[in-house]
Amino acid sequence: MSIKTEDKLATIGIIEKNFESLNYICNTQIATAVFLAYHLEKPVLIEGPPGVGKTELAKTTAEMLSLPCVRLQCYEGLDESKAIYEWKYGKQLLYTQVLKETLSEILEGAKGLTQSVSKLHDFGDIFFSEQFLEPRPLLKALKEEQGCVLLIDEVDKSDHEFESLLLEMLSDFQLSIPEIGTVKAQADKKPLVFLTSNNTREISDALKRRCLHLYIPFPDADLEEKIVRARVPDISNKLRLQIVSFIQELREMDLKKVPAISETIDWARTLILLNTEILTPDLVRDTLNVILKFQEDIETVQSEIQTITNKALKEKDH
Amino acid sequence: MHRILVDFIKVLRNADIKVSPAETLDAMQVMEVIGARDRRLLKHSLSITLSKTPEEKETFNQCFEKYFSFANHHEANEKRGSAYGLDHDTKKGSETEETSKTNQQSGGQGNGQINSWDEEEETNKSLEATSHLGKLLLSKDKTAVMMFVVKAGREIELNQIRFFTQKGTYTRKIMDSMGLKDLQQEIGTLNTSGSRSEMLLAEKLKNSREQLRQRIREYVEKQFLLHADSSGKQLREELLKQIKLSNLEKRYFKDVRELVFKMAKKLVAVHSKRRKKFRRGQLDVRKTLRKNMQYDGMFFDIKWKASKVDRPKVICICDVSGSVSSYSRFLLMFLYSLSEILPKVRAFAFSSDLGEVTKLFEESTLEDALAKTMRDFGNGSTNYGQMLLDFKDQYMGDVNKKTSVIILGDGRNNYGDPQVEILHEIYEKAQRVIWLNPEAKTSWYMGDAEMKKYAPCCHQTEVCNSLTHLERVVSNLMRFSF
């Protein structure tokens, strides 16, 4: 298994090709990041505007390596009992009940209090043991036998405290559980960690220092076209070119939320459903809500539709 | 190789990219994994390892291009050729008359360099140069020459260069360390020998010596830009702290923002210390179990997932009237960055009538927001009384024990009714009232200034017209909270 993984990540070119076969089109920078993440055993912090395929990168990597993808979605108030581990309280309670009943058997033959206590000490402490441990995503990722891809999604949504909680995991691939000790990943099966962030708040330097930092910007026209081709293979060449140049034009405008790749793909699918051959201003007006998510933005673009569409139509003549 | 990398990281730090020692080690590992053969790959990889924000990445790219420009100086020279080609030729012409001919032939486009390198190769078959440097120069291997230059530069510790006046000295030093003396001697002997082919060789050598000098000069120039900037920056920061805020330019705004960021962070920290145990909420099973083990496992003392962090609530009121017009830009900058950092800042501006600008600040860029605020509220005559009345009418209900109220202004009320009792009411209701006044303390009580009346209704009053002041205010805020 590990040899296979090694092969798939052998060079940057191979990674790029493998991604492409899974319909994830990336540039060299992204492939380089994955390559380095594997060879340096370092987590990758992926930043960029929403909808450029940050989460997708982690998922695709997992698919490529045919490893399970363990995902931890971050949100405000996320704490260790949801991210790392939790005790199985019900079973623990039952255990104490059972213990109470069998107590006399265990202590049989003990004379006096001191002897009983020392006998109790000899008796293994199961109450806080792995049997009663409920692993959450982070712990699960460490224990995964084949190794795995760990995706910590939208880490910027979590609290500062949680960030510090991640540090141990990210730098040493280990977690400390006070009652048990330290859980470590197997040396050659360390999880490949991806963190994503939308930059709603600044990630702390301590966390950044432990990660490789990949910034994925909006793609240029060529790359976007390739992505649409890979994701929506049914679309005609002409329409694809028009869509892409239209979207690229929109990104230049002063909008509250500019359309991302995922919107481009959605739009392409929508237009196919509508049996579109060629982009027209009317059609754009009707489907604008697929690519723009704010009424203000739609209003801003409405007035410009004619010009942008014409521009996009001209593009294909080049 | 490591040496080069360490130097490069020094350069990055000069350029304001924070690179920790741990990251330096990472970068070395990266070099080991990917090697240094592929320049683009190296750039990507190092960029991923060393620069951690989009801004840093941009700076990184610039530094990388500058620092590693020798690796592909062929291209670089061709590209930049026309830019300094002219300069290059005139200098040469004045220094050596012979060379001007060849240069004119090859045209002043700067490609001259490349052409003449080639010509030398062709005509030089008959005679070999004897000195080391001469041989190197006449061989076509420009990379080797450059490597030699870099090596020499390292030997004489070029990265110690601090002032632009040192450029000449360092150029000379590099030339010397590369063996200029031997070359000179050779040219001398060749010239006196009298034979035509030897004279020709001497000419070639002279020619390439000048080209070399030119190149070294460029190299020194670049290194100067890379290495000497840091001391300049420190100097600038020192100055910046003392500059009156009224003179702050927009380009320094980044630094202001950093300071304000620090301040805001402290504000947040102060607030989040106020945790309150709640009597309800989610059951904390773990704590309850632990606690109740001693009661024989009966749930007797129940624990809740308790503390809830208080969000800081800051209300910031900024005077933008004529009397503080020179400061209002800074005050607004402060206000703007504060609202960028703290989630719940409500920003107000006034000359006489109070207006809320929270939304404007959220939606516009700094420039827009400042301009619009100034247009809507700015430069009227001050009326603090009216402001306080407005505040009482509309916003008093929002002030509670968790609110900090920050007032930015000079307290000059044009002899109007100061409405102190309203401020007092705020003082009673709010957690804190802070007044930041851009005027020196001595003039607080002169003329129409009402600070004398307002000050007792504030938890804290501070002079604040330079970044040093601002820092002091921040640390005072800290002390105040305990």
Side-chain angles (χ1 to χ4, degrees):
Chain A
M1 183 65 212
S2 75
I3 301 163
K4 221 169 145 195
T5 313
E6 186 95 16
D7 278 349
K8 279 178 183 162
L9 295 168
T11 70
I12 291 163
I14 291 178
I15 296 176
E16 245 173 293
K17 221 175 282 160
N18 278 334
F19 274 150
E20 203 174 322
S21 67
L22 291 168
N23 286 339
Y24 186 86
I25 312 295
C26 67
N27 57 21
T28 334
Q29 246 151 336
I30 297 176
T32 310
V34 175
F35 175 80
L36 286 176
Y38 177 73
H39 287 274
L40 299 184
E41 297 185 338
K42 275 191 156 284
V44 191
L45 172 64
I46 314 169
E47 285 189 313
V52 290
K54 296 187 293 292
T55 310
E56 208 56 36
L57 174 63
K59 286 202 253 173
T60 314
T61 311
E63 201 184 332
M64 177 177 90
L65 302 175
S66 34
L67 289 174
C69 177
V70 179
R71 180 169 176 170
L72 174 68
Q73 180 71 42
C74 294
Y75 53 89
E76 222 179 297
L78 179 68
D79 59 0
E80 55 177 351
S81 67
K82 279 170 203 131
I84 305 180
Y85 70 99
E86 178 77 296
W87 295 104
K88 294 173 180 164
Y89 297 111
K91 282 194 181 155
Q92 274 180 329
L93 277 179
L94 283 177
Y95 169 73
T96 45
Q97 302 291 330
V98 174
L99 190 67
K100 229 182 273 172
E101 278 160 24
T102 52
L103 201 57
S104 49
E105 285 171 35
I106 295 166
L107 296 182
E108 216 173 28
K111 282 173 201 150
L113 202 61
T114 354
Q115 241 177 22
S116 318
V117 170
S118 71
K119 213 157 194 176
L120 252 186
H121 275 299
D122 292 341
F123 189 69
D125 189 9
I126 316 179
F127 192 81
F128 287 120
S129 69
E130 293 217 22
Q131 279 149 308
F132 291 118
L133 203 62
E134 176 82 61
R136 300 286 190 202
L138 292 186
L139 192 61
K140 221 187 266 172
L142 285 185
K143 289 176 135 186
E144 208 61 67
E145 303 218 329
Q146 301 296 327
C148 69
V149 173
L150 171 64
L151 165 63
I152 303 176
D153 214 3
E154 304 194 35
V155 71
D156 53 329
K157 299 270 168 24
S158 68
D159 310 310
H160 282 285
E161 294 82 6
F162 182 72
E163 248 178 55
S164 336
L165 210 72
L166 281 178
L167 296 181
E168 189 188 8
M169 172 82 185
L170 295 182
S171 56
D172 298 328
F173 293 101
Q174 66 172 43
L175 286 168
S176 297
I177 299 170
E179 292 90 346
I180 292 181
T182 314
V183 180
K184 250 191 162 158
Q186 296 170 56
D188 55 337
K189 296 284 190 322
K190 284 178 185 161
L192 200 55
V193 185
F194 291 92
L195 300 100
T196 73
S197 155
N198 279 332
N199 236 340
T200 51
R201 78 179 164 80
E202 195 70 22
I203 305 293
S204 73
D205 286 344
L207 194 126
K208 278 189 172 172
R209 186 170 73 64
R210 285 166 173 81
C211 300
L212 302 173
H213 182 273
L214 174 67
Y215 184 79
I216 308 185
F218 285 124
D220 55 22
D222 278 351
L223 191 63
E224 182 154 32
E225 215 208 303
K226 273 190 210 158
I227 294 171
V228 175
R229 192 186 312 165
R231 287 283 156 134
V232 195
D234 304 336
I235 197 166
S236 71
N237 275 343
K238 212 163 63 180
L239 186 59
R240 188 176 62 230
L241 281 171
Q242 288 167 6
I243 290 179
V244 169
S245 69
F246 187 92
I247 296 274
Q248 294 276 342
E249 201 67 39
L250 278 192
R251 292 208 184 112
E252 299 291 311
M253 292 175 70
D254 179 29
L255 297 177
K256 205 164 171 184
K257 186 192 173 301
V258 288
I261 305 173
S262 51
E263 270 100 14
T264 316
I265 292 171
D266 286 347
W267 199 34
R269 289 196 178 128
T270 315
L271 292 179
I272 284 183
L273 274 182
L274 296 172
N275 289 325
T276 316
E277 289 288 316
I278 195 167
L279 224 50
T280 63
D282 282 336
L283 192 71
V284 174
R285 199 164 291 129
D286 293 339
T287 53
L288 208 54
N289 52 355
V290 180
I291 38 177
L292 295 173
K293 305 293 162 80
F294 286 95
Q295 191 55 36
E296 285 172 62
D297 287 350
I298 293 179
E299 273 157 26
T300 323
V301 175
Q302 287 281 9
S303 54
E304 305 275 334
I305 283 181
Q306 193 73 46
T307 28
I308 307 177
T309 317
N310 286 343
K311 239 184 193 171
L313 288 179
K314 257 181 223 153
E315 195 68 24
K316 68 157 198 223
D317 299 334
H318 283 296
Chain B
M1 204 63 215
H2 281 185
R3 180 74 195 260
I4 296 176
L5 191 61
V6 169
D7 270 356
F8 178 55
I9 284 169
K10 218 186 274 168
V11 168
L12 288 183
R13 287 190 184 136
N14 279 356
D16 233 6
I17 298 179
K18 280 177 252 157
V19 183
S20 67
E23 280 160 335
T24 311
L25 291 177
D26 288 347
M28 289 189 176
Q29 243 184 312
V30 166
M31 294 278 265
E32 267 164 39
V33 172
I34 61 146
R37 221 163 284 148
D38 186 342
R39 185 169 184 275
R40 230 167 64 97
L41 180 62
L42 183 69
K43 186 173 159 188
H44 286 333
S45 315
L46 288 182
S47 154
I48 285 168
T49 332
L50 296 172
S51 55
K52 307 268 161 120
T53 64
E55 295 84 44
E56 280 187 1
K57 284 205 192 297
E58 207 157 285
T59 326
F60 175 90
N61 287 344
Q62 284 169 8
C63 287
F64 189 90
E65 293 301 338
K66 258 193 212 165
Y67 188 82
F68 288 108
S69 54
F70 274 141
N72 63 350
H73 65 278
H74 302 257
E75 286 172 45
N77 267 345
E78 272 171 84
K79 267 187 230 148
R80 281 177 295 128
S82 52
Y84 56 67
L86 279 175
D87 182 35
H88 175 103
D89 282 352
T90 47
K91 261 186 198 156
K92 234 194 239 171
S94 66
E95 281 168 23
T96 46
E97 283 172 29
E98 293 105 318
T99 45
S100 59
K101 261 187 209 163
T102 38
N103 264 317
Q104 272 164 8
Q105 280 169 0
S106 55
Q109 297 292 317
N111 305 349
Q113 274 185 351
I114 290 137
N115 291 343
S116 49
W117 286 88
D118 293 346
E119 275 169 35
E120 277 149 28
E121 173 70 8
E122 282 162 26
T123 51
N124 196 39
K125 272 165 194 156
S126 51
L127 262 173
E128 289 287 319
T130 49
S131 70
H132 177 59
L133 183 59
K135 271 184 202 158
L136 194 63
L137 284 180
L138 292 184
S139 73
K140 211 184 164 189
D141 191 356
K142 276 176 271 180
T143 319
V145 176
M146 277 313 165
M147 288 307 279
F148 198 40
V149 171
V150 176
K151 200 172 142 238
R154 204 173 299 143
E155 268 163 22
I156 60 146
E157 299 186 326
L158 180 58
N159 55 14
Q160 297 299 316
I161 188 167
R162 283 292 166 268
F163 304 104
F164 70 94
T165 44
Q166 291 172 315
K167 279 183 209 164
T169 329
Y170 275 99
T171 312
R172 184 81 203 170
K173 270 189 186 166
I174 292 182
M175 289 289 274
D176 283 347
S177 123
M178 284 176 74
L180 180 68
K181 225 174 169 186
D182 293 345
L183 185 68
Q184 297 284 42
Q185 244 169 17
E186 196 185 358
I187 295 174
T189 36
L190 282 173
N191 264 334
T192 48
S193 72
S195 108
R196 172 152 163 63
S197 58
E198 285 183 354
M199 295 269 275
L200 206 64
L201 178 63
E203 198 179 299
K204 294 289 170 232
L205 281 175
K206 257 186 186 171
N207 191 353
S208 31
R209 183 191 64 197
E210 289 316 314
Q211 286 177 357
L212 178 69
R213 178 168 295 160
Q214 190 64 32
R215 289 222 170 158
I216 294 177
R217 207 171 281 151
E218 283 157 24
Y219 177 63
V220 171
E221 174 76 41
K222 253 184 238 156
Q223 293 296 310
F224 169 73
L225 285 178
L226 286 175
H227 291 289
D229 258 7
S230 70
S231 37
K233 185 166 181 287
Q234 266 171 18
L235 198 69
R236 210 173 65 222
E237 258 177 15
E238 258 330 285
L239 278 176
L240 186 62
K241 276 193 176 171
Q242 283 151 27
I243 288 176
K244 282 270 181 94
L245 289 166
S246 48
N247 305 331
L248 272 184
E249 297 274 334
K250 199 204 156 211
R251 64 196 150 107
Y252 296 132
F253 177 65
K254 198 177 138 225
D255 298 322
V256 176
R257 193 154 62 179
E258 262 163 38
L259 266 180
V260 173
F261 183 68
K262 268 186 214 157
M263 173 164 176
K265 253 189 171 168
K266 278 174 185 170
L267 265 174
V268 177
V270 169
H271 276 278
S272 29
K273 286 235 167 60
R274 289 169 26 91
R275 281 161 177 250
K276 219 159 82 184
K277 295 276 170 192
F278 276 77
R279 295 213 143 261
R280 50 205 188 86
Q282 228 177 330
L283 180 71
D284 192 339
V285 188
R286 171 186 251 167
K287 255 190 197 159
T288 313
L289 256 174
R290 277 276 167 90
K291 189 77 189 166
N292 289 295
M293 212 98 88
Q294 49 184 314
Y295 308 123
D296 208 10
M298 296 292 286
F299 290 140
F300 173 72
D301 185 4
I302 288 172
K303 298 282 173 201
W304 304 99
K305 285 209 173 125
S307 51
K308 184 181 158 193
V309 183
D310 272 347
R311 296 265 159 196
K313 234 170 98 184
V314 176
I315 290 179
C316 202
I317 303 168
C318 182
D319 183 356
V320 287
S321 63
S323 58
V324 285
S325 59
S326 53
Y327 292 109
S328 49
R329 221 186 128 69
F330 160 70
L331 295 179
L332 283 173
M333 256 188 209
F334 174 75
L335 193 59
Y336 185 83
S337 33
L338 198 66
S339 57
E340 249 184 3
I341 294 153
L342 293 176
K344 277 194 183 168
V345 173
R346 298 187 62 182
F348 298 90
F350 74 97
S351 286
S352 59
D353 296 322
L354 187 69
E356 181 159 7
V357 288
T358 316
K359 206 156 175 243
L360 179 68
F361 277 26
E362 270 168 18
E363 285 169 359
S364 336
T365 58
L366 171 77
E367 280 303 298
D368 274 5
L370 292 202
K372 277 184 193 153
T373 314
M374 288 309 279
R375 185 196 64 205
D376 292 349
F377 303 100
N379 292 330
S381 66
T382 334
N383 190 339
Y384 278 80
Q386 185 56 44
M387 177 273 279
L388 287 167
L389 274 176
D390 283 351
F391 189 85
K392 187 185 174 181
D393 282 351
Q394 296 169 45
Y395 307 110
M396 192 58 110
D398 300 334
V399 179
N400 57 33
K401 267 286 162 225
K402 284 183 211 158
T403 321
S404 296
V405 180
I406 301 176
I407 300 172
L408 309 165
D410 59 356
R412 293 197 177 273
N413 200 23
N414 293 324
Y415 303 104
D417 182 356
Q419 302 281 2
V420 182
E421 58 285 353
I422 299 178
L423 188 63
H424 193 258
E425 196 182 328
I426 299 176
Y427 173 78
E428 302 240 284
K429 282 181 92 175
Q431 191 199 15
R432 243 179 323 201
V433 179
I434 302 162
W435 194 301
L436 302 181
N437 193 327
E439 284 185 14
K441 217 157 196 164
T442 42
S443 51
W444 278 14
Y445 308 113
M446 278 164 27
D448 56 349
E450 301 283 2
M451 281 313 282
K452 204 175 187 172
K453 288 178 188 155
Y454 285 138
C457 301
C458 299
H459 293 88
Q460 203 176 358
T461 50
E462 297 286 345
V463 180
C464 183
N465 59 23
S466 73
L467 290 190
T468 325
H469 282 147
L470 198 57
E471 272 193 321
R472 206 171 299 153
V473 170
V474 176
S475 59
N476 279 348
L477 266 181
M478 282 298 278
R479 215 178 315 145
F480 182 82
S481 63
F482 294 115

